[in-house]
Amino acid sequence: MVIGAGAGIGGHVAKRFAREGYHAALCRRSDQDGLVRMVAEIEASGGSASGHLLNAIEDGTIEEAIEKIEAEAGPITTLVYNLGAQVGNRPLADTHHKMFEMGWRLGTYGLFRAAKVLMPLMEARGGGTFLVTSATAAVRGNAGQHSHAAAMAGRRMLCQTLNAEFAPKNIHVAHILIDSAVNAPDTLGKMLGAERFAKLQEARANGKDEIMEPDAIADTYFHVAHQHRSAWTFELDMRAFTDTAWWNHPVDI
């Protein structure tokens, strides 16, 4: 189950798992047409998938989706919590109460709700995996990132508490920090704007890995989900390295 299955990390992780024989349950907030296309692409490649529209901010939606997928597709062995919580670069004066709360609902509260329902089911079945996408803001609070940094740092600490309680019960929790921009038009493209995103694409075409490729990220997610228990990863970070580093013009992700 991928919560946050867009065209970037979430969608590519779903495709990677589907190639290995998993049924991929893709959940996203909007774009029914895009969701249908992604499911069709997985099925055309011989995989199994289903699509689910899910507004994680609304109470009960995550819980209902988990129950529906468990009933229709079978036990959820791996959850990928990939919801972003970026509300934009805003000074404190422009960070309204509702905006701050939305970051928390997406970044921390949604993960808590998913764990509240799914962790007991995994425990009863003898194990499972939670892969949680995180961001630079989980470990560094920059100006204009009040909501995002609070949400991501809370996500990181929640992962630590879940790991402390459930790793002994054979549930692998991994907090995966993405410390570079990801090549995804529906997220980074909108955040940077068309001109700057096009420049990054041009650099990529010239062999400069200034942004992370979601299919390469997906390989790491799959590896972490299948580690031997004696060598589980709890936290890792990934970033792009290049001689013309994009973070000379930083964007909090």
Side-chain angles (χ1 to χ4, degrees):
M1 179 180 183
V2 180
I3 301 179
I9 294 174
H12 282 78
V13 170
K15 293 173 186 178
R16 181 68 174 84
F17 276 73
R19 288 203 304 269
E20 301 295 334
Y22 284 74
H23 174 86
L26 290 75
C27 304
R28 60 194 297 177
R29 182 182 62 84
S30 59
D31 188 10
Q32 176 73 45
D33 291 342
L35 186 60
V36 169
R37 286 194 300 270
M38 194 174 295
V39 169
E41 183 177 343
I42 290 173
E43 292 178 338
S45 299
S48 175
S50 58
H52 311 265
L53 289 181
L54 165 64
N55 187 348
I57 293 178
E58 297 177 357
D59 290 337
T61 52
I62 292 175
E63 296 84 347
E64 290 169 4
I66 290 173
E67 292 174 3
K68 177 180 175 64
I69 292 166
E70 287 260 335
E72 296 181 355
I76 298 169
T77 60
T78 302
L79 176 79
V80 179
Y81 192 85
N82 187 59
L83 286 182
Q86 176 62 269
V87 298
N89 187 11
R90 300 172 184 272
L92 183 62
D94 293 337
T95 304
H96 307 298
H97 292 79
K98 287 291 186 181
M99 187 179 297
F100 187 90
E101 181 184 351
M102 182 173 70
W104 168 76
R105 282 185 172 273
L106 291 168
T108 307
Y109 186 47
L111 176 59
F112 167 80
R113 288 163 53 199
K116 188 76 172 174
V117 175
L118 193 51
M119 286 290 191
L121 298 176
M122 288 182 169
E123 181 181 353
R125 293 193 286 255
T129 303
F130 264 58
L131 303 178
V132 182
T133 305
S134 192
T136 309
V139 294
R140 185 178 71 228
N142 288 333
Q145 294 292 308
H146 310 289
S147 173
H148 192 222
M152 290 295 104
R155 178 179 291 189
R156 184 179 185 226
M157 291 297 102
L158 178 55
C159 285
Q160 289 193 10
T161 64
L162 292 171
N163 178 67
E165 181 174 352
F166 289 99
K169 300 173 181 178
N170 202 38
I171 299 175
H172 184 186
V173 179
H175 177 259
I176 303 173
L177 195 156
I178 304 299
D179 192 33
S180 293
V182 177
N183 187 12
D186 60 350
T187 52
L188 182 65
K190 292 178 180 179
M191 187 187 306
L192 296 182
E195 182 178 354
R196 190 171 168 196
F197 187 64
K199 289 181 178 179
L200 286 176
Q201 293 291 348
E202 182 181 353
R204 173 174 172 265
N206 292 327
K208 295 180 179 178
D209 295 320
E210 298 200 358
I211 50 180
M212 299 177 71
E213 296 303 325
D215 55 348
I217 294 172
D219 286 339
T220 297
Y221 276 63
F222 188 80
H223 167 72
V224 171
H226 294 85
Q227 290 174 320
H228 190 273
R229 187 179 177 184
S230 67
W232 273 355
T233 293
F234 166 69
E235 185 166 72
L236 64 87
D237 58 45
M238 289 186 279
R239 63 181 59 87
F241 288 94
T242 175
D243 56 350
T244 55
W246 72 272
W247 50 82
N248 289 330
H249 306 282
V251 173
D252 285 279
I253 57 176

